[in-house]
């Protein structure tokens, strides 16, 4: 059987629209052009495709078979087209990621590993606070956002990809550094070096103390985790930060985790985008990459946090 794709497209359109005229319009062909294609197709398969009853047309048995195959072939071609477009997007596309301040401690590592695999994708990374992330999501600006908790009041779709344990830190010389199983109440008169109001970490800490009926006092406020760690190291007070910010300090033992009852505070990292957003091929590739690789690329801290806390 010698048939062309064009003939199958014409057959599909005529059968679906049940009209030569409408098929001609939808394919931007003349009506004699459509009739010609059908005639040639009938000649090459050796059977009529349509019966003409008055002004109406009906598919013959052979026509129904050919219509069904045409639909499948056209659908397969559409799928191939989508895949090829996605591949083109992955070779030259753009990926705009926005992350919460704390997530920047690991997001760069994820992006670096992703960039090695998809070297044609141009990546931009914005590190900003929760309020700005909320606004960006509202205006559907970034492809994907990495944050501790999806914002309230914006319609978003989110997926958890990793635990985010918050731990209490002190300088190794702090008197509590060697204590075990310290009750939470012990800290109600303590003043902590904390993140700014509006930080996800700060909100989670306040909720945690509130839920446990223990008052929480803030001391100096800082908008950067680095600054908090330095202040705690310098003996300015205790801090509570995500364990993902502590890789270097734990390795070099310039800070220690305190063994506090009910700690760590377990939060989660989310990948977030506006509900209904159609992810670009690079964004979809990054989403899948994070789910498949976050565990192997990023250090596994949660076990360490629990272990240290339960020693
Ligand atoms: P941060 O934490 O805002 O304290 O940096 C991230 C988040 O909770 O979204």
């Amino acid at each position: 059987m010698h048939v062309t794709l064009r003939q199958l497209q014409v057959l599909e359109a005529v059968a679906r629209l049940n009209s030569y005229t409408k098929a001609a319009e939808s394919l931007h062909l003349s009506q004699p052009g459509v009739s010609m294609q059908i005639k040639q197709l009938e000649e090459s398969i050796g059977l009529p495709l349509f019966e003409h009853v008055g002004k109406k047309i009906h598919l013959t048995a052979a026509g129904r078979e050919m219509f069904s195959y045409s639909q499948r072939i056209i659908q397969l071609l559409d799928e191939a087209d989508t895949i090829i477009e996605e591949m083109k997007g992955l070779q030259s596309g753009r990926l705009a990621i926005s992350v919460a301040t704390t997530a920047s401690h690991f997001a760069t590592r994820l992006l670096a590993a992703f960039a090695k695999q998809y070297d044609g994708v141009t990546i931009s990374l914005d590190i900003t606070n929760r309020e700005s992330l909320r606004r960006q999501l509202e205006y559907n600006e970034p492809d994907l956002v990495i944050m501790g908790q999806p914002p309230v009041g914006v319609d978003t779709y989110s997926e958890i990809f990793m635990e985010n344990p918050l731990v209490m830190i002190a300088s190794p010389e702090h008197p509590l550094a060697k204590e075990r199983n310290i009750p939470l109440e012990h800290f109600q008169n303590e003043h902590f070096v904390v993140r700014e109001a509006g930080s996800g970490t700060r909100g989670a800490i306040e909720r945690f103390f509130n839920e446990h009926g223990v008052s929480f006092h803030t001391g100096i406020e800082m908008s950067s985790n680095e600054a908090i760690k330095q202040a705690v190291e310098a003996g300015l007070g205790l801090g509570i930060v995500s364990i993902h910010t502590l890789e270097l300090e734990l390795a070099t033992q310039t800070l220690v985790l305190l063994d506090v009852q009910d700690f760590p505070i377990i939060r989660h990292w989310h990948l977030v985008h506006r509900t209904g957003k159609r992810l670009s091929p690079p964004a979809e590739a990054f989403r899948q990459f994070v789910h498949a690789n976050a565990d192997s690329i990023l250090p596994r801290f949660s076990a360490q946090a629990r272990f240290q806390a339960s020693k």
Side-chain angles (χ1 to χ4, degrees):
M1 189 192 300
H2 178 75
V3 297
T4 67
L5 182 60
R6 195 58 172 157
Q7 288 167 353
L8 296 180
Q9 285 168 328
V10 170
L11 167 66
E12 191 276 336
V14 174
R16 177 167 44 85
L17 300 167
N18 204 26
S19 156
Y20 279 62
T21 317
K22 286 183 187 156
E25 273 168 20
S26 90
L27 295 171
H28 306 292
L29 292 173
S30 65
Q31 200 187 323
V34 166
S35 304
M36 175 63 74
Q37 296 279 355
I38 296 292
K39 194 162 166 285
Q40 284 170 351
L41 182 56
E42 286 175 328
E43 275 165 14
S44 79
I45 68 167
L47 285 172
L49 296 164
F50 292 98
E51 283 166 353
H52 299 255
V53 182
K55 285 196 166 173
K56 291 202 164 156
I57 53 168
H58 298 278
L59 281 168
T60 61
R64 278 197 294 279
E65 284 297 330
M66 287 304 286
F67 175 44
S68 156
Y69 278 101
S70 304
Q71 283 180 311
R72 279 142 72 184
I73 289 166
I74 290 165
Q75 191 187 339
L76 277 174
L77 265 178
D78 279 349
E79 280 173 32
D81 189 44
T82 308
I83 299 282
I84 293 299
E85 283 309 310
E86 284 182 4
M87 291 174 104
K88 283 186 197 160
L90 284 176
Q91 274 164 22
S92 59
R94 293 182 167 274
L95 176 64
I97 301 286
S98 294
V99 305
T101 314
T102 303
S104 67
H105 289 264
F106 61 82
T108 36
R109 197 175 302 183
L110 277 180
L111 283 169
F114 177 78
K116 265 193 202 140
Q117 202 165 315
Y118 297 93
D119 58 356
V121 175
T122 308
I123 298 167
S124 70
L125 171 66
D126 186 24
I127 300 164
T128 184
N129 62 27
R130 272 186 74 79
E131 182 44 34
S132 156
L133 289 176
R134 200 194 69 80
R135 213 174 30 249
Q136 290 187 12
L137 281 166
E138 193 175 318
Y139 291 106
N140 197 11
E141 284 167 7
D143 289 314
L144 285 166
V145 165
I146 296 179
M147 64 196 305
Q149 203 174 320
V152 190
V154 188
D155 218 358
T156 56
Y157 176 78
S158 64
E159 294 170 325
I160 289 175
F161 67 92
M162 186 168 62
E163 269 194 357
N164 175 23
L166 305 186
V167 290
M168 201 182 292
I169 49 169
S171 81
E173 288 76 40
H174 196 281
L176 291 176
K178 295 199 167 51
E179 296 275 321
R180 292 292 160 255
N181 212 19
I182 311 163
L184 202 56
E185 292 73 28
H186 185 96
F187 299 96
Q188 52 197 356
N189 297 318
E190 195 80 41
H191 284 77
F192 287 86
V193 185
V194 286
R195 284 283 304 281
E196 76 283 7
S199 130
T201 310
R202 166 88 171 261
I205 297 167
E206 289 179 345
R207 277 197 304 280
F208 174 82
F209 274 82
N210 196 15
E211 275 160 26
H212 285 77
V214 176
S215 48
F216 177 76
H217 299 287
T218 54
I220 313 171
E221 280 190 11
M222 301 185 176
S223 61
S224 117
N225 295 307
E226 290 305 316
I228 292 182
K229 290 187 294 180
Q230 283 163 21
V232 172
E233 217 178 303
L236 267 181
L238 300 173
I240 300 173
V241 292
S242 162
I243 199 160
H244 290 115
T245 67
L246 292 170
E247 194 176 356
L248 189 64
E249 290 75 11
L250 294 180
T252 54
Q253 296 182 347
T254 47
L255 286 171
V256 291
L257 305 186
L258 293 188
D259 184 0
V260 182
Q261 273 175 15
D262 295 318
F263 261 68
I265 304 171
I266 296 295
R267 303 185 70 213
H268 293 92
W269 289 114
H270 294 77
L271 273 173
V272 189
H273 61 79
R274 263 311 281 259
T275 310
K277 183 181 183 68
R278 197 173 174 279
L279 292 184
S280 67
E284 181 54 32
F286 183 68
R287 188 184 80 79
Q288 289 179 19
F289 181 86
V290 169
H291 284 300
N293 299 295
D295 271 0
S296 58
I297 293 171
L298 302 175
R300 284 164 205 245
F301 279 132
S302 31
Q304 186 181 3
R306 291 218 175 81
F307 170 70
Q308 291 219 359
S310 64
K311 264 199 300 189

